[in-house]
């Protein structure tokens, strides 16, 4: 079998309302789907992390840099292809956009391998340790409104997400330490005691401010404090983890086994959040997962993007071994964005209907069992949302 073409589909639309996190507001949703075609009629689909104009830059890397390296190669040689591309790009970026671009191609090659074998990815990896995964719904995004308005909205929204059946919820923070503590108190009021909630700072704090917010999150019994400080600040993560009771999570902005080795050896994370569509695809995710487990660090995948990314992550969550195991083992969760996302809900020929499954099951979703990643993008949908440039 030979790879005959590699194509990026960058999709975009205007959101019904502007959303924000600690770094910026945004009004447009984008997605970057990668299509790998072969001479035997099998097509693989992957996805690259990277919103907005980053997706357009990644498209150029996929189509103009990576594709010429591997056209004509056997798509079943995905690990050979991974190392060929990585070694040729090493001098030009061991992290960031080259790895995001390679991720989408690698996922598409795994989709092809699953279709050749007639097996869903979790079977190809080694089988399902779980047939359903709990889902946490994140919302409580920042908006251009007063903090008083935001406090009221966060309470209502947290209660609504709990009401939809999600197993847990996650809020954004990033308005400054004191206001952020008020927002976290608002979420706890909305969900009541005993319900799991998490807070995501998108690395906006100094270590000192992160200690202030983290102590409050601990008192509120928040489950984790996500990306409190800059991902480069390994020493800061180690200090926070040693000094706070709340779990410290992060890693979505880290790449490949060498980047992950450094943060794991530093002992700064209670929970690792690798992003398969950025860190190097499924091939590299499996190596990073093994590294995390070698350090006894549990993993809850970072999930962002379209149904291709969600299905890929469901496959990986199914195939994740228990750590450390037991009758009532620690379980991972699927991250799910409760804000408007047509690329997740309407892209596949057969939608995953995560929200419907969550509502019907009390907070869990089934693992797709079709060959490969488990979703087929609708070509009319891809054409309708395609953006040029
Ligand atoms: Ca995050």
């Amino acid at each position: 079998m030979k790879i005959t073409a590699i194509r990026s589909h960058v999709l975009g639309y205007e959101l019904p309302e502007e959303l924000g996190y600690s770094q910026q507001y945004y009004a447009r949703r984008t997605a970057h789907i990668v299509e790998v075609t072969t001479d035997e009629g099998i097509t693989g689909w992957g996805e690259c992390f990277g919103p907005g104009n980053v997706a357009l830059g990644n498209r150029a890397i996929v189509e103009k840099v990576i594709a010429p390296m591997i056209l004509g190669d056997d798509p079943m040689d995905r690990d050979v292809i991974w190392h060929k591309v990585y070694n040729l790009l090493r001098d030009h970026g061991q992290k960031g956009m080259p790895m995001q671009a390679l991720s989408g191609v690698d996922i598409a090659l795994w989709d092809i391998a699953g279709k050749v074998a007639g097996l869903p990815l979790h079977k190809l990896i080694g089988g399902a340790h779980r047939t359903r995964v709990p889902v946490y719904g994140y919302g409580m995004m920042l908006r251009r409104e007063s903090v008083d308005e935001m406090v009221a909205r966060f309470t209502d929204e947290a209660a609504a997400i709990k009401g939809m059946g999600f197993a847990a919820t996650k809020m954004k923070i990033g308005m400054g330490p004191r206001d952020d503590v008020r927002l976290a108190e608002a979420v706890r009021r909305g969900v009541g005691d005993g319900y799991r909630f998490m807070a995501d700072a998108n690395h906006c704090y100094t270590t000192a401010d992160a200690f202030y917010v983290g102590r409050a999150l601990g008192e509120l019994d928040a489950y984790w404090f996500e990306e409190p400080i800059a991902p480069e600040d390994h020493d800061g993560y180690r200090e926070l983890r040693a000094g706070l009771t709340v779990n410290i999570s992060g890693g979505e902005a880290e790449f490949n086994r060498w980047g992950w080795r450094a943060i794991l050896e530093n002992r700064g994370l209670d929970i690792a959040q690798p992003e398969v569509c950025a860190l190097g695809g499924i091939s590299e995710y499996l190596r990073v997962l093994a590294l995390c487990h070698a350090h006894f660090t549990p993993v809850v995948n970072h999930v962002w993007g379209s149904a291709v990314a969600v299905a890929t992550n469901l496959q990986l969550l199914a195939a994740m071994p228990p750590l450390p195991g037991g009758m009532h083992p620690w379980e991972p969760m699927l991250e799910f964005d409760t804000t408007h996302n047509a690329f997740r809900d309407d892209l596949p020929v057969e939608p995953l209907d995560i929200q419907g499954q969550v509502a019907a099951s009390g907070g869990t979703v089934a693992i797709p069992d079709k060959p490969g990643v488990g979703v087929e993008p609708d070509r009319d949908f891809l054409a309708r949302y395609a953006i040029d440039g």
Side-chain angles (χ1 to χ4, degrees):
M1 200 187 315
K2 284 183 168 38
I3 296 171
T4 52
I6 300 177
R7 185 177 168 203
S8 282
H9 302 265
V10 178
L11 316 177
Y13 73 96
E14 296 302 317
L15 286 164
E17 58 192 348
E18 188 185 56
L19 302 172
Y21 61 104
S22 69
Q23 304 297 323
Q24 63 183 334
Y25 294 100
Y26 58 98
R28 194 168 169 73
R29 188 177 294 287
T30 55
H32 178 180
I33 311 297
V34 176
E35 177 184 7
V36 175
T37 49
T38 65
D39 61 350
E40 294 188 12
I42 293 176
T43 298
W45 299 96
E47 180 160 356
C48 302
F49 178 75
N53 292 333
V54 173
L56 299 177
N58 281 339
R59 169 160 70 186
I61 300 174
V62 169
E63 295 188 340
K64 303 280 199 276
V65 181
I66 295 177
M69 293 175 182
I70 64 173
L71 283 177
D73 287 0
D74 185 341
M76 297 299 282
D77 292 345
R78 53 197 177 277
D79 196 55
V80 176
I81 288 171
W82 195 98
H83 287 87
K84 176 181 178 180
V85 172
Y86 186 81
N87 290 341
L88 287 169
L89 287 179
R90 176 181 275 126
D91 295 17
H92 314 287
Q94 300 136 20
K95 299 188 180 193
M97 291 166 68
M99 295 305 302
Q100 293 170 349
L102 174 56
S103 298
V105 174
D106 179 81
I107 293 167
L109 297 180
W110 276 85
D111 190 36
I112 290 170
K115 287 167 175 168
V116 167
L119 295 171
L121 275 188
H122 64 269
K123 286 277 187 197
L124 213 56
I125 293 168
H129 292 275
R130 51 194 66 77
T131 56
R132 302 190 71 87
V133 179
V135 185
Y136 77 86
Y138 82 83
M140 285 80 80
M141 308 295 291
L142 307 185
R143 287 195 206 153
R144 297 179 207 264
E145 60 193 2
S146 74
V147 173
D148 285 342
E149 288 170 315
M150 217 178 291
V151 162
R153 177 168 62 81
F154 274 31
T155 298
D156 293 345
E157 206 174 323
I161 290 171
K162 182 184 178 187
M164 289 178 219
F166 287 99
T169 189
K170 188 169 86 183
M171 64 184 297
K172 292 295 188 190
I173 46 179
M175 303 302 294
R178 288 176 192 282
D179 289 340
D180 286 341
V181 171
R182 287 187 61 202
L183 292 172
E185 289 165 350
V187 167
R188 175 52 83 201
R189 271 197 302 280
V191 297
D193 289 340
Y195 186 80
R196 188 180 267 188
F197 87 92
M198 297 79 81
D200 186 358
N202 294 97
H203 49 71
C204 69
Y205 295 129
T206 63
T207 304
D209 285 348
F211 266 109
Y212 175 85
V213 175
R215 278 191 284 267
L217 290 173
E219 283 170 20
L220 290 165
D221 195 25
Y223 183 55
W224 75 55
F225 186 9
E226 178 168 330
E227 284 201 300
I229 56 175
E232 302 95 319
D233 185 5
H234 293 184
D235 292 342
Y237 273 91
R238 188 178 59 239
E239 291 161 12
L240 288 169
R241 185 182 179 217
L244 291 172
T245 55
V246 65
N247 288 314
I248 302 297
S249 74
E252 68 182 78
E254 193 50 81
F255 299 85
N256 70 43
R257 74 198 81 158
W258 301 285
W260 274 94
R261 177 181 62 182
I263 59 175
L264 290 163
E265 287 180 348
N266 199 56
R267 309 293 293 168
L269 293 179
D270 291 290
I271 294 169
Q273 296 171 300
E275 167 52 70
V276 65
C277 299
L279 65 77
I282 294 169
S283 298
E284 198 64 7
Y285 169 92
L286 294 172
R287 292 187 269 265
V288 167
L289 175 68
L291 266 180
C292 290
H293 282 192
H295 289 82
F296 291 94
T297 304
V299 172
V300 178
N301 298 356
H302 178 260
V303 183
W304 179 91
S306 84
V308 175
V310 172
T312 300
N313 276 286
L314 282 172
Q315 300 288 347
L316 297 174
L317 289 166
M320 183 188 293
L323 178 83
M327 278 203 298
H328 304 287
W330 182 92
E331 281 291 308
M333 298 185 283
L334 175 73
E335 175 169 12
F336 184 88
D337 176 0
T338 63
T339 65
H340 198 273
N341 188 342
F343 302 140
R344 183 197 54 222
D345 295 343
D346 304 326
L347 171 87
V349 176
E350 293 178 47
L352 294 166
D353 187 26
I354 306 282
Q355 297 96 318
Q357 291 193 59
V358 163
S361 70
T364 66
V365 63
I367 308 303
D369 59 2
K370 296 196 175 54
V373 165
V375 289
E376 284 296 309
D378 181 333
R379 287 194 179 273
D380 291 340
F381 185 98
L382 290 176
R384 190 158 70 247
Y385 284 95
I387 50 177
D388 300 323

